Amino acid sequence: MKYIVLLGDGMSDEPLKELDNRTPLMAARTENLDYMARHGQIGLARTVPKGLPPGSDVANLSVFGYDPRTCYTGRSPLEAASMGVELGPDDVAFRVNLVNLQPARGTLIMNDYSAGHISTEEGRELIEALQRDMGDDEFRFYPGVGYRHLMVWRNGKHALTATPPHDISGQSIIDHLPKGEGADRLIYLMNTSQMILNNHPQYRRRLEADKVPANSIWLWGHGKAPRIEPFRDRFGLTGAVISAVDLVRGIGVCAGLDVIRVEGATGYIDTNYAGKVAAALAALETHDYVYLHVEAPDEASHSGNLEHKLKAIEDFDARVVGPIMEGMRKFGAYRILCTPDHPTPLRIKTHTDDPVPFILYGGEGKEREGVRGYDEESARGSGLFLDEGFRLMEMMLGR
């Protein structure tokens, strides 16, 4: 038996007036997802336990089959694992976003949480400059992918609160700066970064190219190293992870899964879908399980871009789900789990902890009556609900 998870990050949403009170999943052309929903099992799962933040870290841990209530320590330690950065017991990892801040209404607002979806090469150039000018034995900066990077505070403080920058798009940053013990050190780093980035040659290059420049860092998602039971011990399966996002790769590293990097995987609508599919099917030749993660729908939601979200969902269906359905046939016995990790409503441009619609599909089956296709309403109408989303993995395995 072969198992594959197809994760469309942030696909689920709310009904929108622009779509005649339909959700993007209802409005998008998704013939492959609809087929699986009608011929498999469709339902809702709560991937974010009550009381935990509705981040991709918590939600993806659930879909991997781990209870976040017992193993979640923060987002950035998982990203550190993906990047090969080892954390000591008293080290605290922080996500570093390259962002664009702009003055407005007498304050500074979060104009762009991704600095115009800055490229990995440009991001690396800036993080290396920050490390040269700001890095020392206490604070160290590591380049990641696109706008997503890492800082490690050796023997750092972690009794802090920090806001994800995509939660405050268009809002003043003043009330959302880090708070708690050591927050003054983080704010100092963020302020210092502004002087460095505004005077970096790349700043003018991006302006001249009519691109949004990075003019600050934003520190958030902190935590210490997690302890995650090896996937093979927990489920008795060998497995691999394919994602453009260090967070998801990091869960794979911590769980002892093989991490497969695909050239051209960007985490946005221009990602290398075909390369991801080919890598997933190749991995299943030697592994029992593959987790294939696509970030594009979530990024479109954070940007508030309905057109891009519809395109991301339709590309996910046509360029990932369809080819995977076709490719899995050669394995004979297989199961596909398709789900978002969490909703990311376009209206608020950030995550919620609402349950997500999922599909379990194992090949040809009798068409289910009353199931229109794959969307939030059909999932709700099925009556199938998992209050503990981490049990989706057990359900997939038939346990």
Side-chain angles (χ1 to χ4, degrees), residues 184-244:
D184 58 331
R185 306 290 304 280
L186 301 181
I187 294 170
Y188 173 80
L189 291 172
M190 292 160 71
N191 288 338
T192 303
S193 77
Q194 294 168 22
M195 293 184 285
I196 296 168
L197 296 178
N198 276 282
N199 288 289
H200 194 281
Q202 186 191 115
Y203 182 87
R204 183 160 297 279
R205 290 201 305 268
R206 285 185 68 85
L207 280 179
E208 291 173 349
D210 200 28
K211 295 180 179 179
V212 176
N215 62 9
S216 182
I217 61 171
W218 189 267
L219 299 170
W220 65 287
H222 61 287
K224 294 187 173 184
R227 294 181 180 177
I228 296 178
E229 181 183 2
F231 191 86
R232 190 163 190 169
D233 293 349
R234 184 172 179 81
F235 297 111
L237 302 174
T238 60
V241 177
I242 298 168
S243 176

Side-chain angles (χ1 to χ4, degrees), residues 215-381:
N215 62 9
S216 182
I217 61 171
W218 189 267
L219 299 170
W220 65 287
H222 61 287
K224 294 187 173 184
R227 294 181 180 177
I228 296 178
E229 181 183 2
F231 191 86
R232 190 163 190 169
D233 293 349
R234 184 172 179 81
F235 297 111
L237 302 174
T238 60
V241 177
I242 298 168
S243 176
V245 177
D246 277 319
L247 164 65
V248 178
R249 294 171 178 170
I251 296 174
V253 170
C254 291
L257 297 167
D258 290 334
V259 175
I260 299 171
R261 297 176 184 266
V262 175
E263 185 176 354
T266 65
Y268 201 49
I269 56 174
D270 60 352
T271 198
N272 182 3
Y273 293 104
K276 284 187 166 186
V277 169
L281 293 173
L284 284 169
E285 297 284 355
T286 54
H287 297 73
D288 304 311
Y289 165 90
V290 167
Y291 194 98
L292 197 170
H293 171 267
V294 173
E295 177 76 357
D298 189 60
E299 290 292 329
S301 284
H302 287 313
S303 300
N305 193 318
L306 174 58
E307 180 183 353
H308 280 187
K309 181 154 192 179
L310 291 172
K311 175 175 172 54
I313 292 171
E314 291 178 354
D315 283 349
F316 179 70
D317 180 77
R319 303 171 69 179
V320 175
V321 178
I324 287 292
M325 288 173 65
E326 180 66 28
M328 293 298 286
R329 293 177 183 175
K330 66 181 177 181
F331 297 114
Y334 65 87
R335 298 213 85 187
I336 300 172
L337 168 61
C338 186
T339 184
D341 47 352
H342 51 66
T344 311
L346 283 153
R347 178 181 61 84
I348 59 174
K349 301 182 183 179
T350 191
H351 308 161
T352 70
D353 62 2
D354 293 331
V356 294
F358 70 87
I359 305 167
L360 273 173
Y361 175 77
E364 298 297 332
K366 184 178 179 181
E367 184 164 349
R368 295 177 179 269
E369 295 183 3
V371 177
R372 177 181 60 246
Y374 178 60
D375 57 62
E376 299 84 353
E377 188 175 297
S378 293
R380 193 175 303 111

